[in-house]
Amino acid sequence: MTEEFYYLIEEAEAGLRVDVYLSGKFPGISRSQVQRLIEDDRLLVNARRVKSSHKLKAGDEVEFELPPAVELKVEAENIPLEIIYQDEYLAVINKPVGLVVHPAPGNEHGTLVNALLYHLTDLSSVNGVIRPGIVHRIDKDTSGLLVIAKNDEAHQALSKQLADHSMTREYVALCEGLVKMDQGTIDAPIGRDPRNRLRMGIVPNGRRAVTHYTVQQRYQDMTLVRLRLETGRTHQIRVHMASIHHPVAADPVYGFKKQRVKYQGQMLHARLLGFLHPRDGQPMEFSVPVPEEFRLVLEKLAAEKAGRRV
């Protein structure tokens, strides 16, 4: 069944391209899909057809319709997967940089879920066919640990720990500049950036977000920090560190325009994960070192600080 939508553009949304605006309103819609809507005469601004680059003004009327959704069929794929631990209730995965966690329209293959369906015999059904077993996520270009639920009982127990903040999630990040305080807490609400709906930002009416950080190593002009999440908002660490003017290195969205290091993703790694086993409540904790490329960047920075040639 075709769905119809109507929006009146507010002052805070003025200046956005129509494709940026809609892909922000509907995270499942890509900018290329907006272009197809325009080509199919399914999207109008002030009752007129526009280009995807059209910039909206306050008071503009945006109307569009979405054709009936096509059900995604997720297939098992033989994608290499580092399984740190598994039993009949759960599995702990070390996700590499560049691997998307679950499929989405236009991106049905090559994800962690496709790999899980190949390597594991059972996955919980709590999140449906698109996200089987997925209790929590990390960004495509962030590496590190994820816990996967193999049945619904385990999924519900792990999700509860995630919701009440009893699950331990610790990250390590290389950040721009020299962080002065040896440790600190960033308590700032996060929501959609009103100036750019593709980004998250610190917004007064956002959801509460708390990140604790501890300096691990200072280099010449960069700092290695360990971070513990008290909450788990979208892009939380990346937004919070950017808000104190120490963005995660190599972050293309929240980082500096001129990056000081080259890396295949942002230099953020989920290094430690702790929770109570859903079967008997026994505490479990797992940790993995940073990827080899991450380690080599740190070695180079340490050598430069020591005045050695690299």
Side-chain angles (χ1 to χ4, degrees), residues 81-95 101 112-113 115-117 120 122-124 131-138 144-152 154-155 158 167 273 275 277-278 286:
L81 197 61
E82 185 179 358
I83 302 174
I84 302 299
Y85 170 87
Q86 69 169 315
D87 57 31
E88 68 272 28
Y89 283 81
L90 58 90
V92 177
I93 309 296
N94 184 18
K95 188 190 85 67
V101 170
L112 175 63
V113 166
L116 291 173
L117 290 171
L120 303 181
D122 297 301
L123 291 170
S124 74
R131 294 185 292 173
I134 302 299
V135 178
H136 60 121
R137 295 176 291 172
I138 55 178
L145 294 171
L146 287 168
V147 61
I148 307 299
K150 287 190 171 184
N151 56 55
D152 292 357
H155 198 130
L158 292 167
M167 183 179 290
L273 183 63
F275 52 85
H277 197 284
F286 303 90

mmCIF file of all heavy atoms in Angstrom, residues 81-95 101 112-113 115-117 120 122-124 131-138 144-152 154-155 158 167 273 275 277-278 286:
data_model
loop_
_atom_site.group_PDB
_atom_site.id
_atom_site.type_symbol
_atom_site.label_atom_id
_atom_site.label_comp_id
_atom_site.label_asym_id
_atom_site.label_seq_id
_atom_site.Cartn_x
_atom_site.Cartn_y
_atom_site.Cartn_z
ATOM 1 N N LEU A 81 34.551 -14.174 9.735
ATOM 2 C CA LEU A 81 34.018 -13.632 10.974
ATOM 3 C C LEU A 81 34.866 -14.125 12.139
ATOM 4 O O LEU A 81 35.115 -15.329 12.272
ATOM 5 C CB LEU A 81 32.562 -14.093 11.155
ATOM 6 C CG LEU A 81 31.690 -13.355 12.149
ATOM 7 C CD1 LEU A 81 31.553 -11.896 11.767
ATOM 8 C CD2 LEU A 81 30.317 -14.007 12.233
ATOM 9 N N GLU A 82 35.326 -13.209 12.972
ATOM 10 C CA GLU A 82 36.118 -13.578 14.150
ATOM 11 C C GLU A 82 35.183 -13.749 15.345
ATOM 12 O O GLU A 82 34.696 -12.780 15.913
ATOM 13 C CB GLU A 82 37.182 -12.522 14.447
ATOM 14 C CG GLU A 82 38.104 -12.923 15.595
ATOM 15 C CD GLU A 82 39.178 -11.899 15.889
ATOM 16 O OE1 GLU A 82 39.252 -10.872 15.173
ATOM 17 O OE2 GLU A 82 39.951 -12.123 16.852
ATOM 18 N N ILE A 83 34.934 -14.994 15.703
ATOM 19 C CA ILE A 83 34.068 -15.310 16.830
ATOM 20 C C ILE A 83 34.950 -15.507 18.058
ATOM 21 O O ILE A 83 35.735 -16.455 18.136
ATOM 22 C CB ILE A 83 33.230 -16.567 16.554
ATOM 23 C CG1 ILE A 83 32.381 -16.373 15.292
ATOM 24 C CG2 ILE A 83 32.342 -16.896 17.753
ATOM 25 C CD1 ILE A 83 31.619 -17.611 14.852
ATOM 26 N N ILE A 84 34.840 -14.607 19.030
ATOM 27 C CA ILE A 84 35.662 -14.654 20.237
ATOM 28 C C ILE A 84 35.180 -15.736 21.190
ATOM 29 O O ILE A 84 35.964 -16.422 21.838
ATOM 30 C CB ILE A 84 35.635 -13.280 20.948
ATOM 31 C CG1 ILE A 84 36.122 -12.171 20.011
ATOM 32 C CG2 ILE A 84 36.485 -13.302 22.214
ATOM 33 C CD1 ILE A 84 37.540 -12.344 19.524
ATOM 34 N N TYR A 85 33.851 -15.888 21.261
ATOM 35 C CA TYR A 85 33.247 -16.857 22.194
ATOM 36 C C TYR A 85 31.859 -17.186 21.698
ATOM 37 O O TYR A 85 31.169 -16.344 21.108
ATOM 38 C CB TYR A 85 33.164 -16.255 23.600
ATOM 39 C CG TYR A 85 32.345 -17.087 24.570
ATOM 40 C CD1 TYR A 85 32.930 -18.121 25.290
ATOM 41 C CD2 TYR A 85 30.973 -16.840 24.747
ATOM 42 C CE1 TYR A 85 32.169 -18.892 26.169
ATOM 43 C CE2 TYR A 85 30.219 -17.603 25.617
ATOM 44 C CZ TYR A 85 30.823 -18.630 26.320
ATOM 45 O OH TYR A 85 30.080 -19.401 27.180
ATOM 46 N N GLN A 86 31.431 -18.423 21.955
ATOM 47 C CA GLN A 86 30.026 -18.747 21.713
ATOM 48 C C GLN A 86 29.602 -19.961 22.524
ATOM 49 O O GLN A 86 30.410 -20.833 22.871
ATOM 50 C CB GLN A 86 29.750 -18.983 20.234
ATOM 51 C CG GLN A 86 30.342 -20.218 19.623
ATOM 52 C CD GLN A 86 29.769 -20.472 18.230
ATOM 53 O OE1 GLN A 86 28.557 -20.379 18.004
ATOM 54 N NE2 GLN A 86 30.646 -20.808 17.279
ATOM 55 N N ASP A 87 28.320 -19.998 22.871
ATOM 56 C CA ASP A 87 27.686 -21.153 23.483
ATOM 57 C C ASP A 87 26.270 -21.219 22.931
ATOM 58 O O ASP A 87 25.966 -20.576 21.917
ATOM 59 C CB ASP A 87 27.725 -21.074 25.023
ATOM 60 C CG ASP A 87 27.063 -19.801 25.574
ATOM 61 O OD1 ASP A 87 26.115 -19.288 24.934
ATOM 62 O OD2 ASP A 87 27.479 -19.314 26.643
ATOM 63 N N GLU A 88 25.386 -21.975 23.562
ATOM 64 C CA GLU A 88 24.042 -22.135 23.009
ATOM 65 C C GLU A 88 23.167 -20.895 23.195
ATOM 66 O O GLU A 88 22.081 -20.800 22.620
ATOM 67 C CB GLU A 88 23.349 -23.356 23.634
ATOM 68 C CG GLU A 88 22.992 -23.232 25.103
ATOM 69 C CD GLU A 88 24.117 -23.679 26.034
ATOM 70 O OE1 GLU A 88 25.302 -23.594 25.648
ATOM 71 O OE2 GLU A 88 23.798 -24.113 27.163
ATOM 72 N N TYR A 89 23.642 -19.916 23.998
ATOM 73 C CA TYR A 89 22.847 -18.719 24.273
ATOM 74 C C TYR A 89 23.314 -17.489 23.503
ATOM 75 O O TYR A 89 22.497 -16.632 23.146
ATOM 76 C CB TYR A 89 22.888 -18.391 25.768
ATOM 77 C CG TYR A 89 22.007 -19.273 26.613
ATOM 78 C CD1 TYR A 89 22.424 -20.541 27.001
ATOM 79 C CD2 TYR A 89 20.746 -18.844 27.038
ATOM 80 C CE1 TYR A 89 21.618 -21.359 27.781
ATOM 81 C CE2 TYR A 89 19.932 -19.650 27.816
ATOM 82 C CZ TYR A 89 20.374 -20.912 28.178
ATOM 83 O OH TYR A 89 19.568 -21.714 28.942
ATOM 84 N N LEU A 90 24.614 -17.375 23.277
ATOM 85 C CA LEU A 90 25.140 -16.129 22.710
ATOM 86 C C LEU A 90 26.475 -16.353 22.015
ATOM 87 O O LEU A 90 27.093 -17.414 22.135
ATOM 88 C CB LEU A 90 25.292 -15.080 23.819
ATOM 89 C CG LEU A 90 26.201 -15.447 25.008
ATOM 90 C CD1 LEU A 90 27.645 -15.037 24.772
ATOM 91 C CD2 LEU A 90 25.688 -14.801 26.298
ATOM 92 N N ALA A 91 26.880 -15.337 21.290
ATOM 93 C CA ALA A 91 28.206 -15.319 20.669
ATOM 94 C C ALA A 91 28.762 -13.907 20.813
ATOM 95 O O ALA A 91 28.009 -12.925 20.850
ATOM 96 C CB ALA A 91 28.123 -15.709 19.193
ATOM 97 N N VAL A 92 30.077 -13.805 20.932
ATOM 98 C CA VAL A 92 30.750 -12.514 20.996
ATOM 99 C C VAL A 92 31.634 -12.395 19.758
ATOM 100 O O VAL A 92 32.445 -13.280 19.484
ATOM 101 C CB VAL A 92 31.581 -12.364 22.281
ATOM 102 C CG1 VAL A 92 32.338 -11.034 22.280
ATOM 103 C CG2 VAL A 92 30.685 -12.462 23.513
ATOM 104 N N ILE A 93 31.437 -11.313 18.996
ATOM 105 C CA ILE A 93 32.082 -11.117 17.703
ATOM 106 C C ILE A 93 33.029 -9.931 17.758
ATOM 107 O O ILE A 93 32.721 -8.910 18.375
ATOM 108 C CB ILE A 93 31.024 -10.845 16.606
ATOM 109 C CG1 ILE A 93 29.927 -11.914 16.627
ATOM 110 C CG2 ILE A 93 31.665 -10.732 15.228
ATOM 111 C CD1 ILE A 93 30.400 -13.299 16.301
ATOM 112 N N ASN A 94 34.174 -10.049 17.100
ATOM 113 C CA ASN A 94 35.077 -8.916 16.917
ATOM 114 C C ASN A 94 34.858 -8.389 15.496
ATOM 115 O O ASN A 94 35.365 -8.957 14.526
ATOM 116 C CB ASN A 94 36.529 -9.340 17.122
ATOM 117 C CG ASN A 94 37.492 -8.164 17.036
ATOM 118 O OD1 ASN A 94 37.094 -7.006 17.148
ATOM 119 N ND2 ASN A 94 38.765 -8.456 16.846
ATOM 120 N N LYS A 95 34.068 -7.318 15.372
ATOM 121 C CA LYS A 95 33.707 -6.775 14.059
ATOM 122 C C LYS A 95 34.844 -5.957 13.471
ATOM 123 O O LYS A 95 35.385 -5.076 14.139
ATOM 124 C CB LYS A 95 32.453 -5.905 14.167
ATOM 125 C CG LYS A 95 31.901 -5.459 12.810
ATOM 126 C CD LYS A 95 30.823 -4.402 12.944
ATOM 127 C CE LYS A 95 31.380 -3.005 13.059
ATOM 128 N NZ LYS A 95 32.058 -2.518 11.838
ATOM 129 N N VAL A 101 26.533 -3.564 10.143
ATOM 130 C CA VAL A 101 25.976 -4.555 11.060
ATOM 131 C C VAL A 101 24.784 -5.295 10.462
ATOM 132 O O VAL A 101 24.719 -6.523 10.512
ATOM 133 C CB VAL A 101 25.589 -3.897 12.402
ATOM 134 C CG1 VAL A 101 24.780 -4.875 13.273
ATOM 135 C CG2 VAL A 101 26.843 -3.464 13.148
ATOM 136 N N LEU A 112 27.188 -7.892 8.581
ATOM 137 C CA LEU A 112 27.440 -8.810 9.689
ATOM 138 C C LEU A 112 26.324 -9.840 9.800
ATOM 139 O O LEU A 112 26.583 -11.029 10.059
ATOM 140 C CB LEU A 112 27.571 -8.025 10.998
ATOM 141 C CG LEU A 112 27.726 -8.867 12.277
ATOM 142 C CD1 LEU A 112 29.002 -9.689 12.246
ATOM 143 C CD2 LEU A 112 27.686 -7.982 13.519
ATOM 144 N N VAL A 113 25.085 -9.419 9.612
ATOM 145 C CA VAL A 113 23.958 -10.354 9.690
ATOM 146 C C VAL A 113 24.087 -11.452 8.640
ATOM 147 O O VAL A 113 23.836 -12.627 8.924
ATOM 148 C CB VAL A 113 22.615 -9.613 9.552
ATOM 149 C CG1 VAL A 113 21.473 -10.595 9.285
ATOM 150 C CG2 VAL A 113 22.317 -8.811 10.811
ATOM 151 N N ALA A 115 26.781 -12.624 7.484
ATOM 152 C CA ALA A 115 27.843 -13.507 7.977
ATOM 153 C C ALA A 115 27.354 -14.374 9.130
ATOM 154 O O ALA A 115 27.665 -15.571 9.202
ATOM 155 C CB ALA A 115 29.048 -12.672 8.410
ATOM 156 N N LEU A 116 26.566 -13.802 10.032
ATOM 157 C CA LEU A 116 26.045 -14.555 11.179
ATOM 158 C C LEU A 116 25.173 -15.721 10.720
ATOM 159 O O LEU A 116 25.237 -16.824 11.280
ATOM 160 C CB LEU A 116 25.241 -13.634 12.094
ATOM 161 C CG LEU A 116 26.020 -12.558 12.864
ATOM 162 C CD1 LEU A 116 25.051 -11.628 13.595
ATOM 163 C CD2 LEU A 116 27.002 -13.184 13.844
ATOM 164 N N LEU A 117 24.354 -15.478 9.705
ATOM 165 C CA LEU A 117 23.470 -16.535 9.201
ATOM 166 C C LEU A 117 24.258 -17.704 8.632
ATOM 167 O O LEU A 117 23.787 -18.852 8.635
ATOM 168 C CB LEU A 117 22.532 -15.965 8.131
ATOM 169 C CG LEU A 117 21.453 -14.998 8.625
ATOM 170 C CD1 LEU A 117 20.749 -14.338 7.453
ATOM 171 C CD2 LEU A 117 20.450 -15.715 9.520
ATOM 172 N N LEU A 120 26.561 -19.145 12.240
ATOM 173 C CA LEU A 120 25.855 -19.585 13.443
ATOM 174 C C LEU A 120 24.565 -20.297 13.071
ATOM 175 O O LEU A 120 23.878 -19.905 12.133
ATOM 176 C CB LEU A 120 25.541 -18.385 14.347
ATOM 177 C CG LEU A 120 26.736 -17.533 14.796
ATOM 178 C CD1 LEU A 120 26.266 -16.400 15.693
ATOM 179 C CD2 LEU A 120 27.790 -18.370 15.507
ATOM 180 N N ASP A 122 21.873 -20.755 15.152
ATOM 181 C CA ASP A 122 20.689 -20.173 15.787
ATOM 182 C C ASP A 122 20.896 -18.689 16.038
ATOM 183 O O ASP A 122 21.976 -18.262 16.441
ATOM 184 C CB ASP A 122 20.385 -20.868 17.123
ATOM 185 C CG ASP A 122 20.058 -22.338 16.940
ATOM 186 O OD1 ASP A 122 19.088 -22.625 16.218
ATOM 187 O OD2 ASP A 122 20.770 -23.177 17.511
ATOM 188 N N LEU A 123 19.823 -17.907 15.840
ATOM 189 C CA LEU A 123 19.823 -16.485 16.148
ATOM 190 C C LEU A 123 18.447 -16.099 16.672
ATOM 191 O O LEU A 123 17.437 -16.645 16.224
ATOM 192 C CB LEU A 123 20.147 -15.647 14.905
ATOM 193 C CG LEU A 123 21.583 -15.732 14.359
ATOM 194 C CD1 LEU A 123 21.676 -15.060 13.002
ATOM 195 C CD2 LEU A 123 22.565 -15.097 15.337
ATOM 196 N N SER A 124 18.392 -15.152 17.610
ATOM 197 C CA SER A 124 17.103 -14.739 18.159
ATOM 198 C C SER A 124 16.258 -14.057 17.085
ATOM 199 O O SER A 124 16.775 -13.535 16.094
ATOM 200 C CB SER A 124 17.315 -13.778 19.334
ATOM 201 O OG SER A 124 17.713 -12.504 18.871
ATOM 202 N N ARG A 131 17.421 -8.030 11.401
ATOM 203 C CA ARG A 131 18.439 -7.895 12.451
ATOM 204 C C ARG A 131 18.404 -9.064 13.433
ATOM 205 O O ARG A 131 18.359 -8.857 14.643
ATOM 206 C CB ARG A 131 18.245 -6.577 13.197
ATOM 207 C CG ARG A 131 18.492 -5.353 12.326
ATOM 208 C CD ARG A 131 18.413 -4.077 13.142
ATOM 209 N NE ARG A 131 17.061 -3.805 13.603
ATOM 210 C CZ ARG A 131 16.743 -2.826 14.454
ATOM 211 N NH1 ARG A 131 17.680 -2.056 14.938
ATOM 212 N NH2 ARG A 131 15.489 -2.640 14.810
ATOM 213 N N PRO A 132 18.411 -10.300 12.948
ATOM 214 C CA PRO A 132 18.355 -11.444 13.875
ATOM 215 C C PRO A 132 19.581 -11.476 14.787
ATOM 216 O O PRO A 132 20.719 -11.363 14.336
ATOM 217 C CB PRO A 132 18.336 -12.651 12.927
ATOM 218 C CG PRO A 132 19.024 -12.170 11.693
ATOM 219 C CD PRO A 132 18.601 -10.728 11.556
ATOM 220 N N GLY A 133 19.337 -11.613 16.073
ATOM 221 C CA GLY A 133 20.420 -11.753 17.031
ATOM 222 C C GLY A 133 21.097 -10.463 17.439
ATOM 223 O O GLY A 133 21.893 -10.447 18.378
ATOM 224 N N ILE A 134 20.799 -9.351 16.771
ATOM 225 C CA ILE A 134 21.517 -8.099 17.018
ATOM 226 C C ILE A 134 20.970 -7.415 18.277
ATOM 227 O O ILE A 134 19.849 -6.925 18.291
ATOM 228 C CB ILE A 134 21.413 -7.146 15.808
ATOM 229 C CG1 ILE A 134 21.970 -7.814 14.553
ATOM 230 C CG2 ILE A 134 22.129 -5.832 16.106
ATOM 231 C CD1 ILE A 134 23.434 -8.197 14.643
ATOM 232 N N VAL A 135 21.777 -7.386 19.325
ATOM 233 C CA VAL A 135 21.399 -6.761 20.592
ATOM 234 C C VAL A 135 21.774 -5.282 20.592
ATOM 235 O O VAL A 135 21.033 -4.431 21.075
ATOM 236 C CB VAL A 135 22.074 -7.478 21.777
ATOM 237 C CG1 VAL A 135 21.729 -6.795 23.103
ATOM 238 C CG2 VAL A 135 21.661 -8.949 21.813
ATOM 239 N N HIS A 136 22.939 -4.958 20.060
ATOM 240 C CA HIS A 136 23.397 -3.568 19.972
ATOM 241 C C HIS A 136 24.278 -3.448 18.741
ATOM 242 O O HIS A 136 24.666 -4.435 18.129
ATOM 243 C CB HIS A 136 24.175 -3.160 21.236
ATOM 244 C CG HIS A 136 25.404 -3.982 21.488
ATOM 245 N ND1 HIS A 136 26.667 -3.457 21.575
ATOM 246 C CD2 HIS A 136 25.567 -5.321 21.659
ATOM 247 C CE1 HIS A 136 27.545 -4.417 21.802
ATOM 248 N NE2 HIS A 136 26.898 -5.557 21.864
ATOM 249 N N ARG A 137 24.580 -2.218 18.352
ATOM 250 C CA ARG A 137 25.330 -1.992 17.120
ATOM 251 C C ARG A 137 26.537 -1.099 17.374
ATOM 252 O O ARG A 137 26.578 -0.368 18.358
ATOM 253 C CB ARG A 137 24.442 -1.330 16.061
ATOM 254 C CG ARG A 137 23.281 -2.179 15.582
ATOM 255 C CD ARG A 137 22.409 -1.395 14.621
ATOM 256 N NE ARG A 137 21.678 -0.320 15.301
ATOM 257 C CZ ARG A 137 20.964 0.597 14.684
ATOM 258 N NH1 ARG A 137 20.903 0.610 13.362
ATOM 259 N NH2 ARG A 137 20.318 1.527 15.352
ATOM 260 N N ILE A 138 27.495 -1.164 16.466
ATOM 261 C CA ILE A 138 28.539 -0.161 16.384
ATOM 262 C C ILE A 138 28.613 0.280 14.921
ATOM 263 O O ILE A 138 28.162 -0.432 14.022
ATOM 264 C CB ILE A 138 29.914 -0.666 16.882
ATOM 265 C CG1 ILE A 138 30.352 -1.945 16.156
ATOM 266 C CG2 ILE A 138 29.896 -0.893 18.377
ATOM 267 C CD1 ILE A 138 31.714 -2.455 16.588
ATOM 268 N N GLY A 144 35.471 -3.698 16.678
ATOM 269 C CA GLY A 144 35.392 -4.175 18.050
ATOM 270 C C GLY A 144 34.249 -5.111 18.369
ATOM 271 O O GLY A 144 33.624 -5.697 17.484
ATOM 272 N N LEU A 145 33.973 -5.227 19.667
ATOM 273 C CA LEU A 145 33.135 -6.290 20.209
ATOM 274 C C LEU A 145 31.635 -6.019 20.164
ATOM 275 O O LEU A 145 31.174 -4.921 20.463
ATOM 276 C CB LEU A 145 33.543 -6.562 21.656
ATOM 277 C CG LEU A 145 34.958 -7.133 21.855
ATOM 278 C CD1 LEU A 145 35.320 -7.141 23.335
ATOM 279 C CD2 LEU A 145 35.062 -8.533 21.263
ATOM 280 N N LEU A 146 30.912 -7.068 19.794
ATOM 281 C CA LEU A 146 29.454 -7.079 19.815
ATOM 282 C C LEU A 146 29.002 -8.411 20.403
ATOM 283 O O LEU A 146 29.603 -9.449 20.125
ATOM 284 C CB LEU A 146 28.888 -6.956 18.405
ATOM 285 C CG LEU A 146 28.967 -5.613 17.695
ATOM 286 C CD1 LEU A 146 28.630 -5.790 16.221
ATOM 287 C CD2 LEU A 146 28.011 -4.617 18.336
ATOM 288 N N VAL A 147 27.918 -8.390 21.190
ATOM 289 C CA VAL A 147 27.335 -9.643 21.660
ATOM 290 C C VAL A 147 26.109 -9.949 20.808
ATOM 291 O O VAL A 147 25.307 -9.068 20.496
ATOM 292 C CB VAL A 147 26.973 -9.586 23.158
ATOM 293 C CG1 VAL A 147 25.940 -8.514 23.459
ATOM 294 C CG2 VAL A 147 26.471 -10.950 23.642
ATOM 295 N N ILE A 148 25.988 -11.195 20.399
ATOM 296 C CA ILE A 148 24.898 -11.666 19.544
ATOM 297 C C ILE A 148 24.056 -12.669 20.324
ATOM 298 O O ILE A 148 24.600 -13.600 20.943
ATOM 299 C CB ILE A 148 25.460 -12.342 18.273
ATOM 300 C CG1 ILE A 148 26.446 -11.416 17.548
ATOM 301 C CG2 ILE A 148 24.331 -12.794 17.365
ATOM 302 C CD1 ILE A 148 25.856 -10.107 17.076
ATOM 303 N N ALA A 149 22.734 -12.501 20.306
ATOM 304 C CA ALA A 149 21.843 -13.423 21.019
ATOM 305 C C ALA A 149 21.419 -14.560 20.101
ATOM 306 O O ALA A 149 21.015 -14.331 18.963
ATOM 307 C CB ALA A 149 20.622 -12.673 21.534
ATOM 308 N N LYS A 150 21.483 -15.794 20.616
ATOM 309 C CA LYS A 150 21.104 -16.959 19.818
ATOM 310 C C LYS A 150 19.657 -17.384 20.026
ATOM 311 O O LYS A 150 19.132 -18.194 19.261
ATOM 312 C CB LYS A 150 22.036 -18.134 20.134
ATOM 313 C CG LYS A 150 23.435 -17.967 19.562
ATOM 314 C CD LYS A 150 24.203 -19.274 19.711
ATOM 315 C CE LYS A 150 25.516 -19.231 18.963
ATOM 316 N NZ LYS A 150 26.215 -20.539 19.023
ATOM 317 N N ASN A 151 19.015 -16.876 21.068
ATOM 318 C CA ASN A 151 17.597 -17.170 21.267
ATOM 319 C C ASN A 151 16.922 -15.968 21.904
ATOM 320 O O ASN A 151 17.579 -15.031 22.378
ATOM 321 C CB ASN A 151 17.392 -18.443 22.106
ATOM 322 C CG ASN A 151 18.086 -18.368 23.457
ATOM 323 O OD1 ASN A 151 17.860 -17.445 24.237
ATOM 324 N ND2 ASN A 151 18.940 -19.355 23.749
ATOM 325 N N ASP A 152 15.594 -15.961 21.900
ATOM 326 C CA ASP A 152 14.849 -14.793 22.372
ATOM 327 C C ASP A 152 15.046 -14.546 23.868
ATOM 328 O O ASP A 152 15.076 -13.396 24.318
ATOM 329 C CB ASP A 152 13.362 -14.967 22.066
ATOM 330 C CG ASP A 152 13.066 -14.915 20.571
ATOM 331 O OD1 ASP A 152 14.018 -14.694 19.794
ATOM 332 O OD2 ASP A 152 11.895 -15.100 20.184
ATOM 333 N N ALA A 154 17.752 -15.103 25.662
ATOM 334 C CA ALA A 154 19.043 -14.440 25.821
ATOM 335 C C ALA A 154 18.962 -12.990 25.342
ATOM 336 O O ALA A 154 19.517 -12.081 25.973
ATOM 337 C CB ALA A 154 20.117 -15.199 25.052
ATOM 338 N N HIS A 155 18.263 -12.778 24.234
ATOM 339 C CA HIS A 155 18.149 -11.426 23.674
ATOM 340 C C HIS A 155 17.479 -10.478 24.668
ATOM 341 O O HIS A 155 17.944 -9.355 24.899
ATOM 342 C CB HIS A 155 17.347 -11.476 22.376
ATOM 343 C CG HIS A 155 17.521 -10.266 21.519
ATOM 344 N ND1 HIS A 155 17.824 -10.337 20.180
ATOM 345 C CD2 HIS A 155 17.447 -8.936 21.804
ATOM 346 C CE1 HIS A 155 17.935 -9.116 19.685
ATOM 347 N NE2 HIS A 155 17.683 -8.260 20.647
ATOM 348 N N LEU A 158 19.841 -9.742 27.674
ATOM 349 C CA LEU A 158 20.948 -8.860 27.304
ATOM 350 C C LEU A 158 20.451 -7.441 27.016
ATOM 351 O O LEU A 158 21.105 -6.463 27.386
ATOM 352 C CB LEU A 158 21.689 -9.430 26.093
ATOM 353 C CG LEU A 158 22.463 -10.727 26.351
ATOM 354 C CD1 LEU A 158 22.887 -11.378 25.032
ATOM 355 C CD2 LEU A 158 23.685 -10.456 27.226
ATOM 356 N N MET A 167 25.435 -3.276 31.413
ATOM 357 C CA MET A 167 26.383 -3.866 30.474
ATOM 358 C C MET A 167 27.579 -2.927 30.341
ATOM 359 O O MET A 167 27.413 -1.727 30.120
ATOM 360 C CB MET A 167 25.728 -4.089 29.107
ATOM 361 C CG MET A 167 26.640 -4.770 28.091
ATOM 362 S SD MET A 167 25.825 -5.049 26.484
ATOM 363 C CE MET A 167 24.644 -6.337 26.916
ATOM 364 N N LEU A 273 33.916 -5.640 26.558
ATOM 365 C CA LEU A 273 32.477 -5.861 26.697
ATOM 366 C C LEU A 273 32.243 -6.778 27.889
ATOM 367 O O LEU A 273 32.844 -7.856 27.982
ATOM 368 C CB LEU A 273 31.926 -6.505 25.419
ATOM 369 C CG LEU A 273 30.425 -6.748 25.326
ATOM 370 C CD1 LEU A 273 29.656 -5.432 25.367
ATOM 371 C CD2 LEU A 273 30.090 -7.510 24.045
ATOM 372 N N PHE A 275 29.116 -8.381 30.670
ATOM 373 C CA PHE A 275 27.686 -8.560 30.944
ATOM 374 C C PHE A 275 27.500 -9.806 31.793
ATOM 375 O O PHE A 275 28.451 -10.589 32.008
ATOM 376 C CB PHE A 275 26.895 -8.691 29.636
ATOM 377 C CG PHE A 275 27.444 -9.735 28.683
ATOM 378 C CD1 PHE A 275 27.081 -11.077 28.799
ATOM 379 C CD2 PHE A 275 28.341 -9.370 27.683
ATOM 380 C CE1 PHE A 275 27.600 -12.031 27.938
ATOM 381 C CE2 PHE A 275 28.862 -10.321 26.816
ATOM 382 C CZ PHE A 275 28.494 -11.650 26.944
ATOM 383 N N HIS A 277 25.801 -13.453 32.135
ATOM 384 C CA HIS A 277 25.289 -14.466 31.219
ATOM 385 C C HIS A 277 23.793 -14.667 31.445
ATOM 386 O O HIS A 277 23.345 -14.803 32.589
ATOM 387 C CB HIS A 277 26.030 -15.785 31.401
ATOM 388 C CG HIS A 277 25.844 -16.723 30.254
ATOM 389 N ND1 HIS A 277 24.674 -17.429 30.065
ATOM 390 C CD2 HIS A 277 26.660 -17.064 29.221
ATOM 391 C CE1 HIS A 277 24.782 -18.171 28.969
ATOM 392 N NE2 HIS A 277 25.985 -17.959 28.438
ATOM 393 N N PRO A 278 22.994 -14.665 30.390
ATOM 394 C CA PRO A 278 21.531 -14.774 30.540
ATOM 395 C C PRO A 278 21.058 -16.098 31.132
ATOM 396 O O PRO A 278 19.934 -16.188 31.635
ATOM 397 C CB PRO A 278 21.019 -14.609 29.104
ATOM 398 C CG PRO A 278 22.183 -14.908 28.225
ATOM 399 C CD PRO A 278 23.397 -14.479 28.986
ATOM 400 N N PHE A 286 35.023 -9.687 28.007
ATOM 401 C CA PHE A 286 35.864 -9.981 26.856
ATOM 402 C C PHE A 286 36.579 -8.703 26.429
ATOM 403 O O PHE A 286 36.029 -7.599 26.543
ATOM 404 C CB PHE A 286 35.015 -10.501 25.687
ATOM 405 C CG PHE A 286 34.209 -11.718 26.025
ATOM 406 C CD1 PHE A 286 32.915 -11.587 26.539
ATOM 407 C CD2 PHE A 286 34.728 -12.988 25.859
ATOM 408 C CE1 PHE A 286 32.163 -12.708 26.859
ATOM 409 C CE2 PHE A 286 33.985 -14.117 26.180
ATOM 410 C CZ PHE A 286 32.701 -13.970 26.686
#
